[in-house]
Amino acid sequence: MKEELLDVLDENGVKTGEVLPRSEVHKKGLWHRAIVVAIVNDENKILLQQRSMNKEKNAGWWDISVAGHLSSGQDSLAGANREISEEVSVNLGFSVKVKDFRFMTSFRKIQEISENFIERQFYDFFILRQEGLTDENIKMQESEVQAIKFVTVQELDELRKNNLLVEREEVYSVLIEYLFRL
């Protein structure tokens, strides 16, 4: 399989014009963009995924519904839509549309995973609300996800406090505040 190409960004999130393979971007610790999407059903439960044990970081940890890099040339909404269909394909007989996404916030984060794996990412965080969504109508990509579950905002907060989630404090804080306002 061909390695994903990413747009390299400067420290302000502006494309530099350089496009490199994902592994090289991480090895050099270059800035790039990623998306995070919280999928929420009509019971206000949040879809969590347990990351595959084959993942190079946070293997086996519970994570927000969908997260991933933007491929070169993609905007954040197109990347969010692609990641949803790759990781947790929804089998409800409809497609996700741009108007279904609610942009929540952007943030940047630096994380040194190892000497040869440095994340310097700009994240765009979206919420996608879907009616009738249950774990029965979600098809997981087993190379990416080993389990899924829906949790209440209180359960999410408990998992967060007990350090059982991938560290995405910016996302969890905004998501919990949003759901408590509803």
Side-chain angles (χ1 to χ4, degrees):
M1 184 160 65
K2 197 172 181 181
E3 187 174 0
E4 183 176 25
L5 297 175
L6 306 180
D7 290 318
V8 176
L9 308 177
D10 67 16
E11 63 278 355
N12 297 309
V14 177
K15 291 181 184 179
T16 65
E18 191 173 13
V19 176
L20 294 172
R22 179 177 167 168
S23 61
E24 193 173 337
V25 169
H26 286 145
K27 185 174 184 172
K28 292 180 176 180
L30 301 173
W31 286 103
H32 55 287
R33 189 163 302 280
I35 55 87
V36 182
V37 181
I39 300 174
V40 179
N41 68 14
D42 47 345
E43 296 176 3
N44 279 335
K45 290 187 175 180
I46 305 116
L47 176 65
L48 295 184
Q49 62 157 286
Q50 188 176 25
R51 293 172 59 86
S52 167
M53 293 306 289
N54 300 326
K55 299 297 279 181
E56 57 191 329
K57 75 173 193 181
N58 301 314
W61 283 63
W62 286 99
D63 197 1
I64 202 69
S65 312
V66 175
H69 294 87
L70 292 189
S71 296
S72 179
Q74 273 189 327
D75 64 32
S76 293
L77 284 171
N81 210 356
R82 177 183 51 83
E83 288 291 339
I84 287 169
S85 54
E86 284 179 7
E87 294 181 11
V88 292
S89 294
V90 177
N91 292 326
L92 290 177
F94 60 86
S95 61
V96 176
K97 297 184 176 39
V98 170
K99 68 177 183 59
D100 297 328
F101 288 93
R102 180 182 184 120
F103 174 76
M104 299 304 293
T105 190
S106 290
F107 60 96
R108 53 190 248 170
K109 187 172 187 174
I110 300 173
Q111 214 177 355
E112 190 166 332
I113 311 302
S114 69
E115 186 177 306
N116 291 318
F117 192 136
I118 302 165
E119 288 275 30
R120 280 196 173 86
Q121 295 186 143
F122 286 88
Y123 286 93
D124 290 332
F125 172 47
F126 299 90
I127 292 178
L128 174 64
R129 297 189 65 87
Q130 293 291 299
E131 290 186 18
L133 192 58
T134 65
D135 49 0
E136 289 87 33
N137 46 27
I138 293 175
K139 180 182 174 193
M140 300 178 297
Q141 181 185 25
E142 292 180 12
S143 63
E144 298 272 340
V145 180
Q146 67 183 28
I148 58 167
K149 66 180 176 181
F150 280 92
V151 297
T152 64
V153 70
Q154 293 82 5
E155 291 167 325
L156 178 76
D157 200 34
E158 201 57 39
L159 288 166
R160 180 182 72 151
K161 287 177 183 173
N162 291 320
N163 294 319
L164 297 173
L165 292 170
V166 170
E167 201 287 303
R168 298 186 192 282
E169 190 55 37
E170 301 86 351
V171 167
Y172 304 130
S173 296
V174 170
L175 178 59
I176 289 169
E177 181 182 328
Y178 169 78
L179 290 173
F180 271 127
R181 286 190 312 217
L182 296 178

